[in-house]
Amino acid sequence: QVQLRESGGGSVQAGGSLRLSCTGSEYTYNNYCMGWFRKAPTRLFEGVAVRTSGGDKKYAESVRGRFTISQDNGDNTLHLDMNNLKPEDSGMYYCAADYRPDHEYCSIDGAASLAYQGKGIQVTVTS
């Protein structure tokens, strides 16, 4: 059972930055689709960013150019660097992963459906 744990959330003013990290129980996630999705109280689950097994990175239109997904060289920690944050970025952020050696099956729309998910961490952006 893959276990994921998020860290790094908190509260920040609009225009500020935060870095989220996700540490996994597996040694490596080379053949995994890994990513982030979020949930705000009045909105549906929304995929934010994914990293395919091939190393490609995909972003939701709402965060492209502001958020960056990356992975440590050791492979078991995923990061989400969030810059120029906006109040509408507030919500619970979840790390997710699934064994997907075919990178075609790793998408923004599918981020919230990945099999393994962390418990989430709160991000609050104040205006």
Side-chain angles (χ1 to χ4, degrees), residues 53-102:
S53 59
D56 294 332
K57 300 172 183 179
K58 304 177 183 180
Y59 299 94
E61 186 61 35
S62 59
V63 307
R64 188 173 292 120
R66 300 188 297 121
F67 290 13
T68 302
I69 189 171
S70 63
Q71 194 163 8
D72 282 351
N73 289 334
D75 286 340
N76 74 340
T77 301
L78 189 74
H79 301 289
L80 184 69
D81 289 296
M82 306 184 293
N83 298 312
N84 191 22
L85 282 160
K86 304 176 181 181
E88 52 264 41
D89 293 318
S90 297
M92 285 293 289
Y93 281 70
Y94 300 85
C95 176
D98 200 354
Y99 184 75
R100 301 277 177 92
D102 188 338

Side-chain angles (χ1 to χ4, degrees), residues 2-19:
V2 174
Q3 295 181 338
L4 303 171
R5 185 176 66 187
E6 303 92 346
S7 61
S11 182
V12 65
Q13 287 189 327
S17 299
L18 282 174
R19 171 177 253 208

Side-chain angles (χ1 to χ4, degrees), residues 1-4 32 37 95-99 111 113-118:
Q1 180 77 11
V2 174
Q3 295 181 338
L4 303 171
Y32 279 71
F37 66 95
C95 176
D98 200 354
Y99 184 75
S113 299
L114 296 175
Y116 307 107
Q117 301 179 0

